[in-house]
């Protein structure tokens, strides 16, 4: 993401002009937009024209519109963003108050104006514009006959390809069909890796599977690379890292990212940090439940006691339509930072973010046990009885 201009007033009202450069920047843009904001961007509008003879024709004309945002639609797989709203600025082709949908695209400038730019939104702009945040990881999660090729970016897990091949079972005295099908499966996975993984950007490729599938696959891949003199794979051999996972499905990627060998290799990536934080929370919940809280009310009570060491919060909560609810989450984040706590904002498109979403989207690891809240609830419920 490229920041072209930033004009903010003292009361944090103002506008920002940005150019999204990569597909992932569209996800950042989606998180910046809110209903009620004003968006100015170039768009195409179908305009009806009437000639002197009275015949009516229609032309597609490129024009710049300013919309008051009413609806936002994001397609995570295609990384496309559509913003619907009403025109709020005089335009030669579009009446005031007329509805229009702008499709935001990479490498096309837009200006976003808000009445209130809060700390969470401003931090997201900083992250999106900082190239160090895009230390990317690729993953091949596989089992016999099924493989997912994923890209793990700082803010989302993208499934780039899914390979499925029917593998016949081994028969007594005849394994040729099984072996041929397995070889065909491995070959398709190798092709998908070459097609979808950009080794100039990716610093590590995780190959995760149950059993010995990953070892057999890597042996096959590099044997074929030597035979065919595939320089791309041979030069990047050191980037491949084999780890265990329970299956070849996408959700098993979390286990692969939790592996100590992986976390040391990816210590500077946001994805590994999120997975470790969530793992620490689950361990704390198991061993010291008084130091692991989740749910907004419980976490706010812990924050009042200045007990929060690490706050885990999903970015989905900051897209809440109700301004007061959103402000409540922003206030919580700011308060934890003021009290020298760590805040980790999870992406709802990451496997770790999906899991946090199942825990209400907000959780906290505490510095010291806080048992009073659960005691108070017990007392109040007994009084009601």
């Amino acid at each position: 993401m490229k920041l072209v201009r930033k004009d903010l007033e003292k009361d944090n009202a103002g506008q920002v002009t940005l150019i999204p450069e990569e597909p992932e920047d569209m996800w950042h843009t989606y998180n910046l937009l809110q209903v009620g904001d004003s968006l100015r961007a170039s768009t195409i509008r179908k305009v009806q024209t009437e000639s002197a003879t009275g015949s009516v024709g229609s032309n597609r004309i490129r024009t710049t519109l300013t919309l008051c945002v009413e609806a936002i639609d994001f397609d995570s797989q295609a990384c496309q963003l559509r913003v619907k709203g009403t025109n709020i600025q005089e335009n030669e082709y579009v009446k005031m108050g007329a509805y229009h949908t702008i499709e935001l695209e990479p490498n096309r400038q837009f200006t976003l104006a808000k009445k209130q730019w809060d700390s969470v939104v401003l931090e997201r702009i900083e992250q999106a514009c900082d190239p160090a945040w895009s230390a990317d990881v690729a993953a091949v999660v596989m089992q016999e006959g099924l493989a997912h090729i994923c890209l793990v970016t700082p803010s989302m897990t993208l499934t780039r390809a899914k390979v499925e091949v029917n593998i016949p079972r081994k028969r007594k005295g005849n394994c040729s069909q099984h072996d041929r099908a397995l070889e065909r499966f491995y070959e398709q996975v190798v092709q998908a890796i070459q097609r979808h993984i950009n080794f100039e950007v990716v610093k590590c490729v995780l190959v995760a599977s149950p059993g010995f599938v990953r070892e057999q696959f890597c042996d096959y891949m590099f044997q074929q690379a030597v035979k065919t003199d595939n320089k791309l794979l041979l030069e990047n051999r050191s980037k491949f890292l084999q780890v265990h996972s329970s299956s070849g499905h996408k959700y098993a990627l979390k286990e692969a990212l939790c592996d100590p060998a992986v976390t040391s290799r990816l210590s500077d990536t946001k994805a590994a940090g999120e997975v470790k934080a969530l793992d620490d929370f689950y361990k704390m919940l198991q061993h010291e439940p008084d130091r692991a809280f989740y749910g907004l009310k419980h976490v706010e009570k812990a924050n009042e006691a200045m007990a929060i060491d690490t706050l885990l919060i999903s970015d989905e909560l900051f897209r809440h339509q109700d301004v007061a609810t959103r402000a409540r989450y922003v206030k919580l984040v700011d308060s934890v930072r003021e009290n020298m706590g760590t805040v980790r904002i999870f992406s709802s498109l990451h496997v770790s973010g999906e899991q946090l979403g199942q825990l209400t989207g907000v959780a906290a690891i505490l510095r010291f046990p806080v048992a009073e809240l659960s005691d108070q609830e017990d007392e109040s419920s007994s009084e009601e009885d």
Side-chain angles (χ1 to χ4, degrees):
M1 187 91 85
K2 188 177 176 185
L3 180 63
V4 179
R5 194 168 172 182
K6 189 174 173 183
D7 298 319
L8 296 186
E9 307 292 333
K10 284 183 181 176
D11 61 350
N12 271 357
Q15 61 182 35
V16 169
T17 304
L18 297 160
I19 301 174
E21 294 174 316
E22 296 167 19
E24 191 187 338
D25 291 338
M26 303 313 296
W27 169 247
H28 289 302
T29 307
Y30 172 56
N31 280 286
L32 296 176
L33 284 164
Q34 278 177 274
V35 173
D37 292 349
S38 94
L39 175 73
R40 183 175 174 80
S42 172
T43 183
I44 290 172
R45 177 84 174 186
K46 196 175 181 181
V47 177
Q48 285 196 333
T49 52
E50 193 174 331
S51 67
T53 57
S55 60
V56 177
S58 64
N59 295 318
R60 289 166 70 82
I61 291 169
R62 183 164 287 283
T63 182
T64 301
L65 290 179
T66 306
L67 302 184
C68 176
V69 178
E70 287 193 10
I72 307 149
D73 176 43
F74 180 67
D75 180 351
S76 61
Q77 289 307 311
C79 284
Q80 286 183 333
L81 183 58
R82 291 182 189 85
V83 184
K84 182 186 174 186
T86 51
N87 183 32
I88 54 170
Q89 211 170 70
E90 285 289 343
N91 186 281
E92 184 183 346
Y93 306 108
V94 186
K95 291 178 189 172
M96 290 279 283
Y99 276 92
H100 186 78
T101 300
I102 291 179
E103 194 166 301
L104 292 177
E105 300 168 355
N107 301 312
R108 188 158 285 160
Q109 183 174 303
F110 68 88
T111 301
L112 180 63
K114 286 178 182 283
K115 290 171 185 167
Q116 176 75 33
W117 288 86
D118 57 53
S119 60
V120 173
V121 175
L122 293 172
E123 185 190 7
R124 185 171 277 278
I125 291 176
E126 271 178 47
Q127 286 177 14
C129 297
D130 180 4
W133 278 83
S134 57
D136 282 345
V137 182
V140 182
V141 193
M142 63 195 307
Q143 64 189 48
E144 277 197 7
L146 175 69
H148 287 82
I149 288 85
C150 305
L151 289 180
V152 185
T153 71
S155 48
M156 60 170 90
T157 306
L158 289 168
T159 305
R160 278 282 169 244
K162 182 181 179 182
V163 180
E164 273 188 291
V165 172
N166 188 27
I167 311 277
R169 292 174 69 179
K170 285 183 181 179
R171 297 182 186 279
K172 199 172 182 182
N174 180 18
C175 300
S176 59
Q177 274 190 312
H178 173 270
D179 293 344
R180 274 203 305 272
L182 204 55
E183 197 170 307
R184 194 167 71 249
F185 168 61
Y186 288 160
E187 181 55 39
Q188 287 184 25
V189 177
V190 172
Q191 286 173 7
I193 287 173
Q194 292 179 92
R195 196 178 305 122
H196 296 288
I197 295 175
N198 179 0
F199 286 99
E200 288 177 19
V201 178
V202 168
K203 57 184 281 187
C204 177
V205 183
L206 306 178
V207 184
S209 78
F212 298 102
V213 178
R214 57 187 179 278
E215 285 96 335
Q216 290 166 2
F217 168 69
C218 287
D219 290 346
Y220 170 85
M221 178 167 59
F222 293 117
Q223 279 169 14
Q224 291 299 313
V226 171
K227 276 184 196 174
T228 58
D229 193 26
N230 188 326
K231 287 191 173 69
L232 180 73
L233 291 175
L234 294 172
E235 285 171 6
N236 291 287
R237 188 170 187 161
S238 60
K239 291 185 180 179
F240 285 83
L241 185 64
Q242 297 178 27
V243 287
H244 172 77
S245 71
S246 59
S247 75
H249 294 279
K250 185 183 165 183
Y251 65 79
L253 184 59
K254 180 186 173 287
E255 301 163 26
L257 290 168
C258 278
D259 192 291
V262 177
T263 46
S264 62
R265 184 92 167 253
L266 313 178
S267 55
D268 58 336
T269 68
K270 182 172 179 270
E274 286 179 2
V275 170
K276 187 182 180 301
L278 194 62
D279 204 38
D280 290 347
F281 173 79
Y282 279 124
K283 282 178 186 168
M284 193 65 81
L285 194 62
Q286 194 174 0
H287 301 298
E288 288 185 72
D290 284 348
R291 284 184 59 200
F293 277 21
Y294 62 91
L296 184 58
K297 279 185 183 174
H298 287 70
V299 171
E300 280 181 330
K301 278 279 187 278
N303 184 48
E304 284 169 20
M306 294 189 186
I308 296 178
D309 183 41
T310 307
L311 176 71
L312 322 178
I313 188 163
S314 171
D315 61 8
E316 204 168 10
L317 302 177
F318 299 113
R319 294 197 296 273
H320 205 284
Q321 299 294 343
D322 181 35
V323 177
T325 308
R326 181 194 156 85
R328 197 172 162 189
Y329 290 120
V330 173
K331 187 183 172 188
L332 176 65
V333 167
D334 291 342
S335 175
V336 170
R337 283 188 176 137
E338 279 169 23
N339 296 331
M340 307 306 287
T342 306
V343 176
R344 288 202 170 273
I345 298 175
F346 283 59
S347 167
S348 54
L349 284 190
H350 252 312
V351 278
S352 52
E354 286 171 14
Q355 282 203 312
L356 183 62
Q358 291 165 5
L359 287 171
T360 72
V362 60
I365 301 169
L366 310 187
R367 296 188 177 105
F368 48 83
V370 178
E372 290 83 353
L373 185 65
S374 49
D375 294 347
Q376 285 168 8
E377 284 185 347
D378 293 342
E379 284 167 22
S380 59
S381 60
S382 62
E383 281 169 18
E384 285 168 14
D385 295 341

